[in-house]
Amino acid sequence: MFTVPRAPITLPSMNPWESQALAHNFPGDTSPSADDKEAARSRLQSQQDPIIYPGLYAPSGIDIMSVLFNVFTRADPTVQLGPVDCSAAVTVSNLDLPGSPIVYANEAFSELTGYTTSEVVGKNPQFLHSPQRICSLPGILLDQHSTAIRRLEEAEANRNEIQLYITNFKKNGQRFTNLLSMIPIRLPNDGTQYCVGFHVSAD
């Protein structure tokens, strides 16, 4: 009987989240002692974060996976995000709090802007516009910047999605063009309103 040779099957490569999950050192099957249980409880309380896979949940308690799930399953999107993985720079702002402060920013955002998470949490995302440096922009860029700011403010006030190019500044003062996508969502479990920002350097 003649057998047709089959091409070898190539498995798709894992994304960083999957790799981190597989590399995570889960507890063994042995029954923990009372001291082990107390130590684990102390670690959990200090983290205040139900970690399953490292990096997927924010220490602030924001369930970023649920937030992103609601972004990508929202009805009638007006902004097309395309493929997004953990290399994307992401911020999450709480629209129910005064000033709509950032409550989550991932490592990719820190790499893009130079700001650490602790430096941005609690601030309104508009700090990236860096008003103290805007005056140095050429006239035409200043006009474009003012228009972009106005569009962002209108979109946030009306809870509308928006995607635009805007001039932002890194921590070191370097100017860059940010392709910014802002997606407002409401979590179904508690009704909290968030605005999820996706930041891409367009330079």
Side-chain angles (χ1 to χ4, degrees):
M1 179 182 295
F2 179 73
T3 303
V4 178
R6 295 184 178 182
I9 298 175
T10 302
L11 296 176
S13 59
M14 292 185 293
N15 64 44
W17 286 343
E18 293 170 326
S19 300
Q20 289 181 25
L22 289 178
H24 183 55
N25 184 23
F26 287 97
D29 294 330
T30 57
S31 299
S33 65
D35 290 340
D36 291 336
K37 290 181 179 179
E38 183 59 33
R41 186 178 299 110
S42 298
R43 287 196 300 271
L44 182 60
Q45 290 174 346
S46 65
Q47 291 170 335
Q48 296 181 341
D49 183 8
I51 292 180
I52 297 177
Y53 301 141
L56 294 188
Y57 296 92
S60 61
I62 302 299
D63 185 349
I64 189 61
M65 295 304 290
S66 293
V67 170
L68 293 178
F69 177 80
N70 279 273
V71 167
F72 290 104
T73 58
R74 68 195 190 281
D76 304 319
T78 58
V79 169
Q80 301 301 322
L81 294 172
V84 174
D85 60 21
C86 63
S87 66
V90 178
T91 56
V92 179
S93 302
N94 190 325
L95 298 178
D96 292 334
L97 296 178
S100 303
I102 294 173
V103 293
Y104 171 85
N106 67 356
E107 290 183 7
F109 179 81
S110 296
E111 293 174 1
L112 173 64
T113 64
Y115 290 98
T116 64
T117 300
S118 61
E119 289 176 313
V120 302
V121 168
K123 293 184 178 180
N124 184 283
Q126 290 193 14
F127 81 92
L128 286 175
H129 309 333
S130 193
Q132 65 269 28
R133 296 191 180 99
I134 290 303
C135 59
S136 64
L137 292 177
I140 187 170
L141 284 182
L142 187 58
D143 291 341
Q144 293 173 352
H145 182 80
S146 299
T147 300
I149 294 294
R150 185 167 58 253
R151 290 181 59 199
L152 275 177
E153 291 175 344
E154 291 175 354
E156 180 175 325
N158 295 315
R159 302 295 191 261
N160 291 333
E161 300 179 10
I162 188 172
Q163 185 178 76
L164 47 65
Y165 291 95
I166 187 168
T167 300
N168 281 166
F169 292 87
K170 301 183 180 184
K171 183 178 179 179
N172 63 6
Q174 179 183 351
R175 187 177 76 199
F176 73 102
T177 301
N178 186 0
L179 174 56
L180 176 61
S181 303
M182 301 293 286
I183 312 296
I185 61 167
R186 182 189 294 273
L187 293 188
N189 57 337
D190 60 8
T192 304
Q193 294 186 92
Y194 292 109
C195 187
V196 185
F198 297 88
H199 309 257
V200 178
S201 176
D203 294 328

